Amino acid sequence: MKRRDLLYTGKAKSVFRTDDDQKLLIEFRDDTSAFDGRKTEALSRKGTVNNHFNAFIMQHLEAAGIPTHFESLVDDTQSLVKFLDMIPVECVVRNITTGSICRRLGVQEGIELEAPTFEFFLKNDELHDPMINRYHIESFGWAHASEVERMTELTFATNSALVPLFRDAGIILVDFKLEFGRFGDQIVLGDEFTPDGCRLWDSETREKLDKDRFRQDLGDVVESYEIAASRLGISIP
Ligand code: ADP
Ligand code: UDP
């Protein structure tokens, strides 16, 4: 498999074509961004940590019956994935309140929800990823009703697969964001699952082990990602 031309440079990852037109190489960079790209910094080792973290979680999800784009680790910062036709929607599940839901609904931080809740956001930095509902997605043709249902089902299934995995590692999975795409007639989980796109709290102390450390200038960002990784048994060179 050969790396070909750069297809897309995102805020944290670069995406390259390969000699197989069904596969892409995703490079996890050290670049870190928050607040729709208004705060950025390169954090040493983050690309390596996130690449290995993502590979571990995607393989766990595949084993739980969730179709993912992940194919293989190529080196410390790159993974081979299926080339998906991405759906421009973010699927968020929350187990505990924090972040935007508190600002939006005026609810306290840290409430354990009676059942996990679900939200869609439009992937659009200029509009600050506005919250949307399934009717917006269907009316504007971003995805069909059956695809919306499948994304919802797979996002909840991801929560069910990951909550106990993190719990056994002494970590609370507070919330997370997923992106899906089409591969033939299948809806497949794409993008990444790393501490950049979820919230992880230490079960005892509620210390944050995720990108909120960067958003809130708490320091030791990558060190915290590595603590979470090592508790999950992920070995990172
Ligand atoms: P952003 O676009 O938000 O700045 P990234 O830096 O993470 O984010 O860029 C990665 C880009 O690659 C995202 O736009 C994502 O939708 C896209 N992507 C992720 N996985 C795949 C895939 N399997 N096939 C095609 N595109 C993908
Ligand atoms: N998230 C993400 N990318 C985004 C927006 C949110 O990965 O563009 C993740 C975020 O890390 C958290 C979850 O989605 O795990 C819910 O984020 P929230 O809506 O609370 O937004 P925030 O407080 O980050 O603005």
Side-chain angles (χ1 to χ4, degrees):
M1 190 277 312
K2 282 204 174 61
R3 184 164 120 171
R4 291 268 158 88
D5 50 306
L6 179 68
L7 183 67
Y8 179 75
T9 308
K11 295 187 292 297
K13 303 194 287 303
S14 301
V15 180
F16 298 86
R17 290 185 197 274
T18 67
D19 50 6
D20 180 341
D21 61 12
Q22 306 248 66
K23 308 267 167 71
L24 295 174
L25 263 180
I26 292 197
E27 180 189 10
F28 289 78
R29 307 195 315 269
D30 288 345
D31 299 320
T32 312
S33 86
F35 311 122
D36 304 313
R38 279 176 285 119
K39 176 175 176 169
T40 58
E41 200 175 324
L43 300 172
S44 177
R45 275 181 62 72
K46 200 199 64 159
T48 296
V49 172
N50 274 3
N51 187 38
H52 285 274
F53 200 108
N54 178 66
F56 176 86
I57 297 289
M58 290 279 171
Q59 284 167 313
H60 185 85
L61 293 175
E62 282 281 352
I66 295 157
T68 81
H69 68 161
F70 182 78
E71 293 274 317
S72 58
L73 270 174
V74 171
D75 60 26
D76 279 342
T77 58
Q78 300 186 95
S79 287
L80 189 67
V81 301
K82 294 184 181 73
F83 191 167
L84 306 183
D85 171 22
M86 294 302 289
I87 295 169
V89 160
E90 300 184 338
C91 300
V92 169
V93 157
R94 302 172 191 273
N95 297 303
I96 297 187
T97 59
T98 190
S100 72
I101 197 169
C102 296
R103 299 191 290 275
R104 230 178 314 113
L105 302 184
V107 295
Q108 270 187 325
E109 296 247 344
I111 300 170
E112 295 192 24
L113 295 165
E114 306 210 354
T117 197
F118 183 96
E119 296 166 342
F120 287 116
F121 296 89
L122 180 64
K123 222 178 126 64
N124 184 323
D125 281 344
E126 280 166 33
L127 299 179
H128 312 295
D129 294 349
M131 192 163 91
I132 52 175
N133 66 38
R134 64 169 300 163
Y135 300 101
H136 294 119
I137 299 175
E138 291 166 31
S139 299
F140 290 102
W142 294 316
H144 295 295
S146 62
E147 296 174 324
V148 170
E149 262 158 44
R150 185 68 175 147
M151 289 193 290
T152 309
E153 176 188 32
L154 290 175
T155 306
F156 277 120
T158 297
N159 194 47
S160 301
L162 295 186
V163 165
L165 179 82
F166 282 103
R167 188 196 296 125
D168 291 347
I171 295 169
I172 303 169
L173 178 59
V174 173
D175 60 29
F176 61 87
K177 179 268 299 178
L178 301 180
E179 293 179 30
F180 293 91
R182 305 175 184 93
F183 192 71
D185 58 7
Q186 239 200 338
I187 293 292
V188 172
L189 175 61
D191 204 46
E192 66 178 287
F193 192 105
T194 70
D196 271 358
C198 66
R199 289 193 170 99
L200 305 173
W201 293 353
D202 180 281
S203 304
E204 296 288 312
T205 63
R206 296 210 159 190
E207 187 188 2
K208 298 177 201 304
L209 303 171
D210 58 65
K211 199 162 88 175
D212 273 350
R213 298 201 72 87
F214 175 72
R215 294 187 186 98
Q216 299 170 11
D217 292 318
L218 300 175
D220 292 335
V221 179
V222 181
E223 290 79 357
S224 301
Y225 291 19
E226 292 201 66
I227 290 171
S230 92
R231 288 200 201 165
L232 289 164
I234 305 171
S235 63
I236 299 171

